[in-house]
Amino acid sequence: MLYTVKEVSELSNVTIKTLHHYHKIGLLLPCKISEAGYRLYEAKELERLQEILFYRELDFSLDQIKEMMEHHSDRLSILSQQEELLLCRKDRLDTIIQTLRKSIACIKEGESMDNKEMFKGFENEEEWNKALTEQNQYLKESYGVESHEVAPTDVKELNEQAVEAMTFMNEMASSLREGLKHNDEKTRNLIRCHLEFMNKHGHKASVEDFVAQTRFFLSDDFHLKMLESQQTGLAYYLSAAAESFAATNQ
């Protein structure tokens, strides 16, 4: 079934002007243009629009959304990733709402609110530090690597990196389940895009660095278990894909 831009606007509550803009920047293309010049959309385009709107709810820019969706087209892994991110946001908002209600109650009852209670829900960097505690402790005990405390200014960048890393691993796991060879063109493109993202976001990573990292994952019990719990064979598949990518990009 084909939908006009007006019908898509009515279904999604996205303005026609916005849909035109998405088309202009290449974020959401119509499946065809009619002889009369009308943009026409099918179910696939509606699904893509839904994914775009989920990313917008997570405050990603249109440029960031376009980049992620160009390189990661598996709808299931995209939606699963978005669900996890939105649930994290929901938990944080629930905490903020509780803090707000407690603040209102204190005012009504003429009481002073505890200073620590006053700022619950705003400590996002603390959530990151808590999440990284186990890994930091393991790296320090096993390799003597000192942990780095996450600062408030780091949070936005870390959230973006977490999305990209999660999407990359989901795509690699999906490729493995689909039976794609480690040297398939799709896996090479995934690695290429992953390295491009890392380098654009301040993490200088050469092809050789990536190969070394995947070898480390195989030799380190903590990271090997983490990857294998996501998909059996993923660590080995990732390492083989990295070796193949390096051989063709020397």
Side-chain angles (χ1 to χ4, degrees):
M1 183 175 178
L2 295 174
Y3 300 88
T4 65
V5 69
K6 181 180 179 182
E7 289 171 331
V8 173
S9 175
E10 291 172 349
L11 279 170
S12 62
N13 292 319
V14 175
T15 66
I16 293 175
K17 182 179 179 181
T18 297
L19 292 171
H20 286 176
H21 181 63
Y22 287 174
H23 182 191
K24 181 180 179 180
I25 65 175
L27 182 58
L28 179 66
L29 303 178
C31 65
K32 63 188 294 187
I33 305 292
S34 72
E35 293 182 1
Y38 292 109
R39 297 172 173 85
L40 298 175
Y41 303 81
E42 291 184 325
K44 186 176 181 181
E45 285 72 46
L46 295 183
E47 290 177 351
R48 184 176 174 87
L49 177 58
Q50 184 197 47
E51 293 163 12
I52 291 168
L53 295 180
F54 282 135
Y55 276 130
R56 292 297 285 157
E57 286 295 321
L58 290 160
D59 295 330
F60 286 101
S61 70
L62 294 180
D63 287 340
Q64 291 169 334
I65 294 170
K66 184 181 178 183
E67 182 177 355
M68 288 187 289
M69 296 186 75
E70 279 178 350
H71 304 316
H72 308 291
S73 57
D74 182 355
R75 177 166 166 78
L76 178 59
S77 55
I78 287 175
L79 293 177
S80 298
Q81 166 212 108
Q82 290 173 330
E83 179 187 27
E84 185 170 342
L85 290 169
L86 284 168
L87 285 173
C88 288
R89 171 164 291 191
K90 177 180 178 295
D91 289 343
R92 180 166 177 259
L93 288 175
D94 284 344
T95 303
I96 291 174
I97 290 170
Q98 290 174 11
T99 301
L100 176 62
R101 288 174 176 167
K102 189 171 290 186
S103 300
I104 293 171
C106 286
I107 292 173
K108 288 182 176 179
E109 295 169 8
E111 298 177 356
S112 296
M113 191 171 180
D114 183 89
N115 288 338
K116 291 183 178 180
E117 292 288 316
M118 192 179 295
F119 297 103
K120 277 193 173 180
F122 298 103
E123 66 279 22
N124 226 13
E125 69 278 6
E126 291 185 15
E127 293 172 11
W128 264 106
N129 285 318
K130 183 178 179 180
L132 293 171
T133 297
E134 182 181 1
Q135 179 173 321
N136 285 337
Q137 183 177 352
Y138 173 79
L139 290 174
K140 183 175 182 180
E141 292 175 355
S142 301
Y143 304 100
V145 177
E146 291 296 328
S147 60
H148 170 70
E149 287 289 313
V150 175
T153 53
D154 299 331
V155 172
K156 185 176 184 294
E157 183 72 19
L158 284 172
N159 287 341
E160 293 174 4
Q161 291 174 17
V163 170
E164 194 281 333
M166 189 188 307
T167 304
F168 171 68
M169 285 302 180
N170 284 341
E171 285 283 350
M172 292 297 292
S174 177
S175 297
L176 175 58
R177 287 193 297 271
E178 291 170 8
L180 292 182
K181 292 183 178 180
H182 66 276
N183 58 353
D184 188 88
E185 183 64 25
K186 178 182 177 180
T187 59
R188 287 202 295 268
N189 284 335
L190 288 171
I191 293 172
R192 183 179 296 107
C193 295
H194 176 61
L195 290 177
E196 287 176 358
F197 179 92
M198 294 295 289
N199 282 286
K200 284 181 182 177
H201 288 74
H203 293 272
K204 299 301 180 183
S206 66
V207 175
E208 293 74 20
D209 293 333
F210 183 66
V211 170
Q213 183 185 50
T214 60
R215 287 176 182 166
F216 170 73
F217 290 160
L218 286 177
S219 63
D220 182 79
D221 290 340
F222 181 90
H223 293 88
L224 179 62
K225 182 180 178 181
M226 182 171 62
L227 289 172
E228 292 299 291
S229 65
Q230 180 177 350
Q231 175 65 45
T232 302
L234 179 58
Y236 302 92
Y237 183 75
L238 185 65
S239 181
E243 297 278 1
S244 175
F245 182 82
T248 57
N249 288 270
Q250 292 180 343

